[in-house]
DNA sequence: GTGAAAGCGCTAACAA
DNA sequence: TTGTTAGCGCTTTCAC
């Protein structure tokens, strides 16, 4: 680290006291304008930069927040993070980004790291496997507010930003049940693994839609995937296609599974969407790359990030601010995997 | 921020002096084992955490490094960043990640932010538009080492991690010139824009390969793209296909351009790779999603990240360490866009 | 309007 | 082996 000019250096150069310099720099009212001008000029001249560590020490705050996401190799989380950074940059905060790689253990390690860095708050999307509920709670009790997004913890009271997974799943399923203008009778849900919060909720939406449209949500209308990867979607769909009940409408927990499923279906020569319609969820960048292009539910990523950031900011500025859960609307993007009819 | 127990609290609780506590915590040799034990126990009991800002202040270092990348929405940079984090986490560093969105202005802002955060070093991939060469130099002169990767600055002396773009482009072009077992005679290079370092180098490799194989690298064998997006690839390729000279082998500056080009070519009904072979560069996640799958040059992302991190660490530990440029080997991944013959 | 002095939490001489 | 003291760079009383 470079030895920058300090407040003391400025004071000496100007022949005044440290405190006056400090006041001038902080733009206090009780400094003679002339003095202020001189200080500012000298600061410029000597390329003065306040030492944030000295400031943090005395102010008892770090001006750093932490973000914990399962991964940032897909575009989903990065897009959200960008907004978070935007909001906090304006407020003079740094953002520490960590990723848990879908492991509760690494997530815990990340939380430790953030805690040791004295972050003033954390924005977190829970990792796939397991939970660190007690630790979340401990952090909150210790005065480090947490805002959950995308995948909240159900057990912990905190502000949350989510979309209404139940409702969106319901609509998505309704759409795929009448995909391409044909009423479907053999739906299938490629479910996410149990551990994930949204998994059960989306499944509820699925079952509800089936019931509404007169289809029995029997056990053969859904299958649980081991994880939420492309590979798993491919394998699971393959296994299904090996069986007796060939579905005509597939609703997938996420786009990755859907992309894998698409591949399996195409390989067998089924026509999409005529014979089998496929619907993804939570819009990945890849949805536009597949053939056919994948219909999906697009979450408002920018808004999620912005909202989560603002909720955290609120908590940081006022620790007594109440927990708030913001439910955002998502959008169903209809593409070729459910509809190849000419655009309306 | 929570009021944690301080070293002073521990000292009081144990009835000993601050310095002994400090020494015990730091595992100095000249502390009675018994005392050390007591201190450690009490630290545990009172949930003591050293205040990093006090430590930073006195040690005159931040234990933070910065990363500046053009974007992290595609998987390319995130994969590299993950490795950087891994290396620096082991050394007890935090990593501040910033993205410039292909704007030299934002890049400069990011550098300011990092400088103000007193980072001990920066790992940087230069943004597409313009350069901040003087500022890089200033940072380095001020004792903040910079390691460039992927897109280095040519004007600044610093450690760099790159792949041999010339050589890899050469090999990639050789491959596409004989794609699918057919000698091609009408190659085309979708070049990146001028501003990007690698753009010219890859073009050199292209021309060299053409010459070696008896093709005149005439002006109609290449075209410069406005940017490096899918859209631009699509439009540029469309314009080419509107012309007289229909290429039979297309070498693209990157995968995004290639994916756009693929789309344009397919739309016109040309068969890939039989009529037109397409080669990407620098392997995006999407290369496996297109149809046909895209042949590309895969950079060793993990190794790039690890190497860049280690080079920076070297500089941080020893500011007099010489600048080093590490040239890594990439790999050509042959897929359907250049070869549909049965796998060897 | 300005300066002197104390202190944030920590480390590191220097003594004892 | 331990305690005392000073000081990192900054802010903020409390005087004047």
């Amino acid at each position: 680290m470079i030895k920058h000019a300090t407040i003391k250096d400025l004071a000496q150069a100007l022949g005044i006291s440290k405190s006056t310099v400090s006041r001038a720099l902080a733009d206090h009212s009780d400094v003679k304008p002339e003095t202020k001008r001189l200080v500012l000029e000298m600061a410029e001249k000597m390329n003065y930069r306040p030492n944030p560590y000295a400031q943090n020490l005395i102010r008892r705050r770090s001006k750093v927040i932490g973000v914990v996401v399962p991964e940032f190799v897909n575009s989903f989380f990065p897009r959200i993070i960008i907004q978070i950074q935007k909001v906090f940059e304006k407020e003079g905060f740094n953002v520490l980004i960590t990723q848990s790689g879908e492991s509760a253990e690494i997530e815990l390690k990340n939380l430790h790291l953030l805690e040791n860095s004295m972050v003033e708050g954390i924005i977190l999307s829970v990792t796939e496997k397991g939970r660190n509920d007690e630790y979340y709670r401990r952090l909150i009790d210790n005065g480090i507010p947490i805002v959950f997004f995308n995948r909240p913890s159900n057990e912990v009271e905190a502000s949350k930003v989510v979309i209404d997974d139940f409702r969106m799943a319901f609509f998505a399923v309704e759409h795929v049940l009448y995909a391409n203008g044909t009423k479907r009778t053999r739906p299938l849900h490629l479910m996410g693994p149990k551990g994930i919060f949204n998994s059960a909720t989306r499944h509820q939406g699925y079952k509800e839609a089936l019931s509404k449209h007169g289809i029995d949500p029997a056990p053969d209308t859904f299958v649980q995937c081991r994880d939420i990867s492309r590979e798993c979607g491919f394998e699971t769909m393959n296994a299904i296609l090996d069986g007796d009940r060939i579905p005509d409408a597939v609703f997938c927990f996420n786009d990755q599974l859907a992309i894998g499923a698409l591949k399996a279906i195409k390989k067998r020569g089924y026509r999409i969407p005529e014979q089998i319609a496929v619907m993804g969820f939570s819009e990945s960048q890849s949805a536009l790359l597949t053939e056919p292009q994948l219909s999906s539910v697009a979450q408002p990523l920018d808004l999620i990030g912005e909202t989560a950031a603002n909720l955290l900011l609120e908590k940081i500025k006022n620790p007594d601010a109440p927990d708030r859960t913001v439910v955002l609307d998502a959008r169903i993007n209809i593409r070729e995997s459910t509809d190849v009819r000419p655009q309306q």
Side-chain angles (χ1 to χ4, degrees), chain A residues 17-70:
Chain A
S17 78
K18 284 194 323 179
S19 9
T20 304
V21 175
S22 172
R23 278 188 281 250
L25 258 16
D27 206 23
H28 275 216
S29 53
D30 50 357
V31 176
K32 186 161 55 167
E34 170 66 6
T35 317
K36 197 177 286 180
R37 199 180 54 75
L38 284 172
V39 171
L40 260 23
E41 273 177 20
M42 186 57 81
E44 173 76 11
K45 193 175 139 204
M46 298 179 73
N47 189 26
Y48 168 80
R49 308 290 177 109
N51 182 325
Y53 300 101
Q55 289 181 320
N56 290 341
L57 185 58
I58 195 162
R59 287 186 187 141
R60 278 114 179 291
R61 56 182 307 188
S62 61
K63 283 278 192 172
V64 175
I65 65 139
V67 170
V68 183
V69 292

Side-chain angles (χ1 to χ4, degrees), chain A residues 103-321:
Chain A
S103 138
E105 223 172 293
I106 303 186
E107 185 184 279
L108 189 61
K109 226 175 70 183
N110 285 334
L111 288 173
H112 276 132
L113 184 137
L114 293 179
E115 195 186 0
N116 289 335
S117 300
M118 300 207 152
V119 293
E120 297 188 36
I122 292 173
I123 296 180
L124 184 147
S125 181
V126 174
T127 193
E128 178 183 349
K129 303 189 181 69
R131 296 274 165 64
N132 291 310
D133 289 328
E134 298 121 68
Y135 204 77
Y136 303 151
R137 213 173 278 123
R138 210 197 106 193
L139 286 173
I140 295 172
D141 290 346
N142 277 325
I144 303 184
I146 297 182
V147 172
F148 293 99
F149 72 101
N150 184 240
R151 302 188 195 158
S153 159
N154 286 325
E155 312 299 323
V156 177
E157 282 185 31
S159 286
K160 295 168 191 181
V161 182
V162 291
I163 65 161
D164 189 337
D165 277 79
F166 174 81
R167 206 164 134 259
M168 292 317 298
F170 179 86
F171 288 140
V173 174
E174 274 204 321
H175 166 71
V176 79
L177 281 179
Y178 292 87
N180 213 41
T182 324
K183 170 74 197 275
R184 312 281 164 153
T185 53
R186 295 182 311 281
L188 174 74
H189 182 200
L190 290 195
M191 300 172 64
K194 254 209 189 111
I196 302 190
F197 171 76
N198 302 340
S199 186
T201 320
R202 289 184 198 163
H203 188 56
Q204 288 304 322
Y206 171 76
K207 290 201 289 190
E208 183 78 11
L210 259 53
S211 299
K212 176 174 168 196
H213 293 279
I215 303 174
D216 177 30
D220 64 348
T221 64
F222 53 88
V223 54
Q224 189 146 41
C225 297
R226 204 177 53 258
D227 57 53
I228 53 175
S229 67
R230 247 171 243 180
E231 291 68 33
C232 193
F234 182 75
E235 288 163 25
T236 311
M237 197 64 216
N238 255 332
I240 291 286
L241 296 175
D242 281 338
D244 296 334
R245 183 180 181 279
I246 305 299
D248 56 7
V250 182
F251 171 60
C252 303
F253 172 76
N254 74 347
D255 279 10
Q256 302 305 315
L257 287 179
I259 289 170
L262 273 187
K263 202 170 153 191
I265 294 169
K266 280 199 305 185
K267 209 172 165 185
R268 306 267 180 149
Y270 292 104
R271 272 173 303 126
I272 306 173
E274 292 86 351
Q275 295 177 285
I276 308 182
V278 178
M279 182 89 205
F281 204 103
S282 100
E283 191 77 356
S284 73
Q285 268 222 309
S286 324
L288 284 163
L289 278 178
T290 56
E291 282 182 59
Q293 296 191 338
L294 181 66
S295 296
S296 190
V297 177
Q299 306 197 28
L301 302 182
D302 291 356
L303 196 54
I304 292 176
E306 199 188 314
T307 309
N310 282 323
L311 284 178
L312 183 59
L313 211 47
E314 190 178 311
K315 281 277 190 185
I316 289 176
K317 289 185 173 168
N318 171 22
D320 297 325

